Amino acid sequence: MRKLTRGEQIFNIFNVLFLFLMIVISIYPMLYVFFAAFSTPSAYMRQGGNKLLFCPVGFSLASFKAVFKNPSIWTGYGSTIFILAVGVPINIVFTMIGAYVLSRKQLRIRRFLSLLILFTMYFSGGMIPIYLNVRNFGLDGSLWALIIPNAINTFNLIIMRTAFEEVPDSLEEAAKLDGASQLTILFKIMVPLVVPTIAVLILYYAVYHWNSWFNAMLFIHKREKYPLQLILRELIIQNSSIFSSELSTSGAEDEMISETIKYATIVVATVPILAAYPFLQKYFVKGIMVGAVKG
Amino acid sequence: MAQKEDFEQSITQTAEPKKKKSDRKSDRFSLALDFRRNTELYFIFIPVLLYYLFFHYFPMYGAVIAFKDFAPSRGIAGSQWVGFKHFISFFSSYYFWPLIRNTLVLSISNLVFGFPAPVILAILINELRSKSYARVVQTATYLPHFISLVVICGMIVQFTRDNGWITHLLTLFGMPRQTMLNNKDLFVPIYVISGIWQESGWGSIIYLAALAGIDQDLYEAAEIDGANQFQKILHISLPGILPTIVILFIMRVGRIMSMGAEKVILIYNAAIYDTADIISSYVYRRGIIGTDWSFSTAVGLFNSLVNFILVISVNTLSRRLTEMSLW
């Protein structure tokens, strides 16, 4: 390697420093949340509230105790877990079947069916007709309203179709000669060959259900059925003071603890994702590539 | 692009049955044969087809209420036709231009500032000598992508309140202490910057992959010719990822009018509707909250049509100019 010029050396040093700044900016907001959540509520309000924090102000688990006492965190987790446990398998099976059929080249109306499905990516009836349609199906108020109308994401279906198309035709033909049915071919022969893609899609759908709140806001009306994100919205953004009355008697005290409680709530609702993140990161990255190459 | 071929073929394929009369007959015959041969495939496809019919095409039919005075008790078919009444009332309403303007300002700012960020980040990461440091940078910058939108918006709201740390930080640079989201001039910057913060790292993945795909011989050859680091970035790295940049840019431009309502609804408030209210959030308030079904459907349909036309024309234009397109 040749020697670096002066300009290049300076650039490289600045580059390293600049990207270090990016690291800090990326993770500091989350760190702040942790620091605030573990702070003593009154101390946080007195001295921490409007400053940058580099460690918790005092140390207290009071905010977490309050969060865990709140039943809606648990019902929220319950609903979200139900949606994940039921929704993701439905997503995967539907997506797999649709993608498999659309990947079969012997099908004459394959092009037409693909077009029918692709069209929905670029044109939709809009928010209101979709809302009224779900109500027409009698799903209003039920968690199924968050699962069935979103059984397939067309983009994911295309990713899956691409994966099936790459499986050599000879495998299907050989299985057919042995008298295998299409479903047997799909689940016994094809699926084992596209496991990495399926893993990526499980992740995509799971993240979708985990993050989604808008549909829940439209269709779920009982608080005890709210999924986690809707509960979070209420507690963090809409400044609900559901916590305060249980905890202390004086109003000022309420005010104090309600601030740190918000942060503790964020921690409780985000830790599962952050804990899984290091293990899942590579699947996500793989997923982005799968989607990008043939999207 | 594989998809492009697919799509072109699909168009010519669907157009095929119109060819000749004699051909038509054999087409129909082979279609029947096709059904008989692949009964099983067609059969297992039924649930998927029903899904698309029920949850995508029904709502498209449902959008006809934009031309009616929809009353839930009478149903879609039973409601009175009113022609373009709702469209005209939207176009002539006080809200029309502000909504268009807000939607465009928000989404163009998002595009202008948000689009280059991951490209620059990817190039800078690519220039790092230490691969392990590069991995640390990547892991850290991807992180915000994994936090749910509700939590992100919760943090935005908290941090930019009059006693939030971001507000505090900015007062050091002379900004008056205020709840930033109550200031209508700050909504767009907050929306855009938080978006850059959340998605740049994640967005850089695809460019990093493109950079990794560039032939290393090119860099070596350039070095022998005496090119320095900046010249290599300018003449090898950037041209190398240009196709990726173009295709992603097309996608973004095509969606310029289709700003989703979710993030806006999470962080805006009535005090800043002047700049923060966009078409989709307006549809939500008028339709879902105000139960003004037909009017809000008309607004939404207008928006869908504009989006559709935009995607098609941007794609066609790009195919003519750059030979790159989504299909």
Side-chain angles (χ1 to χ4, degrees):
Chain A
M1 257 213 189
R2 84 198 153 84
K3 243 183 120 223
L4 296 179
T5 65
R6 191 63 178 269
E8 287 170 338
Q9 276 172 347
I10 292 173
F11 168 78
N12 284 329
I13 291 168
F14 271 99
N15 191 18
V16 168
L17 291 177
F18 178 76
L19 289 175
F20 182 73
L21 186 68
M22 290 301 119
I23 295 177
V24 173
I25 290 175
S26 296
I27 58 180
Y28 181 73
M30 215 48 223
L31 279 180
Y32 180 93
V33 169
F34 274 87
F35 296 153
F38 285 102
S39 293
T40 311
S42 54
Y44 174 80
M45 282 311 276
R46 235 178 301 118
Q47 42 175 309
N50 61 2
K51 281 193 299 217
L52 293 176
L53 293 183
F54 299 102
C55 61
V57 191
F59 182 84
S60 157
L61 294 176
S63 317
F64 284 98
K65 283 191 190 126
V67 171
F68 288 127
K69 253 193 234 157
N70 185 347
S72 40
I73 293 287
W74 301 115
T75 57
Y77 257 114
S79 295
T80 296
I81 289 171
F82 172 81
I83 295 167
L84 286 172
V86 178
V88 174
I90 290 179
N91 289 142
I92 294 298
V93 169
F94 268 69
T95 306
M96 226 150 52
I97 291 177
Y100 177 67
V101 173
L102 291 181
S103 72
R104 296 304 88 192
K105 294 177 192 72
Q106 71 265 32
L107 226 54
R108 289 215 46 155
I109 60 167
R110 173 173 106 108
R111 303 285 179 200
F112 170 72
L113 292 177
S114 292
L115 200 64
L116 200 73
I117 283 171
L118 283 175
F119 181 66
T120 64
M121 278 175 90
Y122 298 102
F123 191 80
S124 94
M127 188 195 300
I128 306 300
I130 289 173
Y131 169 78
L132 294 173
N133 183 53
V134 171
R135 290 218 313 196
N136 268 343
F137 276 97
L139 295 170
D140 195 33
S142 153
L143 287 179
W144 291 102
L146 313 180
I147 297 172
I148 297 176
N150 300 305
I152 300 177
N153 174 309
T154 304
F155 186 74
N156 291 348
L157 186 139
I158 292 171
I159 294 179
M160 191 82 241
R161 186 187 70 178
T162 310
F164 281 135
E165 276 168 356
E166 276 163 9
V167 176
D169 293 339
S170 52
L171 281 175
E172 189 197 345
E173 275 148 29
K176 261 193 193 155
L177 287 178
D178 289 344
S181 73
Q182 287 292 346
L183 279 178
T184 316
I185 296 175
L186 170 57
F187 286 102
K188 290 268 164 66
I189 297 173
M190 293 297 190
V191 167
L193 293 171
V194 294
V195 166
T197 309
I198 293 177
V200 167
L201 292 194
I202 289 177
L203 216 54
Y204 275 12
Y205 280 123
V207 168
Y208 165 78
H209 286 304
W210 173 269
N211 283 344
S212 97
W213 63 279
F214 191 77
N215 285 329
M217 178 178 75
L218 297 186
F219 300 119
I220 310 298
H221 314 294
K222 281 195 190 133
R223 242 180 135 262
E224 36 326 338
K225 276 194 182 177
Y226 278 7
L228 187 62
Q229 299 301 326
L230 208 53
I231 296 283
L232 288 179
R233 172 175 184 246
E234 215 177 71
L235 297 181
I236 309 168
I237 301 182
Q238 294 177 320
N239 284 322
S240 149
S241 53
I242 290 152
F243 288 121
S244 29
S245 54
E246 307 166 8
L247 265 151
S248 56
T249 42
S250 82
E253 196 100 335
D254 290 351
E255 173 74 17
M256 280 176 194
I257 196 157
S258 75
E259 275 300 293
T260 50
I261 281 183
K262 283 181 189 165
Y263 293 113
T265 310
I266 295 181
V267 170
V268 171
T270 315
V271 155
I273 292 286
L274 292 185
Y277 164 64
F279 305 102
L280 301 180
Q281 189 190 342
K282 71 163 188 243
Y283 285 100
F284 272 107
V285 173
K286 195 187 287 168
I288 244 185
M289 296 330 297
V290 177
V293 179
K294 297 254 170 85
Chain B
M1 296 233 99
Q3 210 199 337
K4 177 183 164 182
E5 283 164 25
D6 259 22
F7 205 85
E8 275 175 351
Q9 279 174 27
S10 70
I11 289 167
T12 48
Q13 281 267 326
T14 44
E16 225 169 9
K18 289 175 198 157
K19 279 185 304 189
K20 271 187 264 165
K21 271 193 178 169
S22 57
D23 270 12
R24 255 191 185 177
K25 213 172 184 180
S26 70
D27 263 12
R28 206 176 300 150
F29 171 72
S30 63
L31 206 61
L33 192 70
D34 190 42
F35 269 114
R36 219 172 313 141
R37 252 190 217 145
N38 299 303
T39 324
E40 236 187 315
L41 279 178
Y42 283 110
F43 193 71
I44 61 174
F45 196 67
I46 289 173
V48 177
L49 203 61
L50 288 182
Y51 164 74
Y52 275 96
L53 202 63
F54 289 167
F55 296 105
H56 288 273
Y57 284 92
F58 274 26
M60 284 185 212
Y61 163 69
V64 299
I65 64 171
F67 305 95
K68 294 182 164 210
D69 268 336
F70 176 69
S73 54
R74 275 190 237 128
I76 296 172
S79 297
Q80 197 80 64
W81 288 99
V82 295
F84 286 90
K85 180 179 118 182
H86 299 296
F87 290 90
I88 292 166
S89 102
F90 174 54
F91 295 149
S92 56
S93 84
Y94 163 78
Y95 298 103
F96 180 68
W97 287 113
L99 284 174
I100 301 277
R101 187 198 64 210
N102 290 349
T103 308
L104 281 175
V105 166
L106 192 60
S107 102
I108 292 176
S109 321
N110 219 7
L111 183 68
V112 169
F113 298 102
F115 188 80
V119 181
I120 296 168
L121 184 65
I123 288 179
L124 292 183
I125 291 176
N126 196 49
E127 290 302 316
L128 285 175
R129 303 276 146 145
S130 154
K131 289 304 147 207
S132 51
Y133 184 58
R135 254 198 305 281
V136 175
V137 175
Q138 284 174 271
T139 306
T141 51
Y142 297 170
L143 188 73
H145 173 82
F146 290 87
I147 301 169
S148 73
L149 187 64
V150 172
V151 168
I152 294 281
C153 292
M155 294 190 335
I156 297 172
V157 171
Q158 282 292 102
F159 296 161
T160 62
R161 281 169 36 161
D162 55 354
N163 61 355
W165 65 266
I166 291 183
T167 311
H168 178 72
L169 217 56
L170 292 173
T171 56
L172 301 180
F173 295 95
M175 187 190 79
R177 187 169 285 279
Q178 56 182 318
T179 297
M180 290 166 70
L181 278 170
N182 284 350
N183 181 340
K184 67 186 170 86
D185 297 328
L186 295 179
F187 173 79
V188 174
I190 290 176
Y191 184 102
V192 171
I193 293 171
S194 60
I196 293 177
W197 173 74
Q198 192 184 6
E199 295 300 338
S200 292
W202 190 247
S204 70
I205 293 177
I206 197 156
Y207 298 113
L208 280 167
L211 284 167
I214 296 175
D215 192 350
Q216 290 305 308
D217 293 350
L218 290 175
Y219 289 104
E220 274 164 35
E223 218 160 89
I224 291 164
D225 289 345
N228 65 29
Q229 207 171 347
F230 312 110
Q231 287 167 325
K232 281 189 282 180
I233 295 177
L234 207 61
H235 299 295
I236 302 176
S237 300
L238 266 178
I241 59 174
L242 197 63
T244 314
I245 294 177
V246 171
I247 201 92
L248 292 181
F249 189 75
I250 296 170
M251 285 167 81
R252 290 281 294 262
V253 171
R255 288 201 306 251
I256 213 155
M257 281 289 281
S258 52
M259 294 293 283
E262 298 202 5
K263 189 171 171 185
V264 171
I265 291 175
L266 283 172
I267 62 175
Y268 78 169
N269 59 63
I272 51 168
Y273 282 168
D274 270 2
T275 59
D277 202 17
I278 60 171
I279 296 176
S280 52
S281 54
Y282 180 71
V283 169
Y284 165 74
R285 279 204 321 283
R286 281 296 291 261
I288 309 278
I289 296 180
T291 67
D292 205 344
W293 306 119
S294 285
F295 177 78
S296 51
T297 301
V299 178
L301 188 62
F302 161 73
N303 198 192
S304 291
L305 281 173
V306 171
N307 290 336
F308 190 66
I309 294 168
L310 261 175
V311 173
I312 301 281
S313 26
V314 166
N315 197 57
T316 312
L317 197 69
S318 126
R319 184 156 41 186
R320 294 253 171 81
L321 297 179
T322 66
E323 299 189 345
M324 274 182 278
S325 60
L326 301 177
W327 57 74

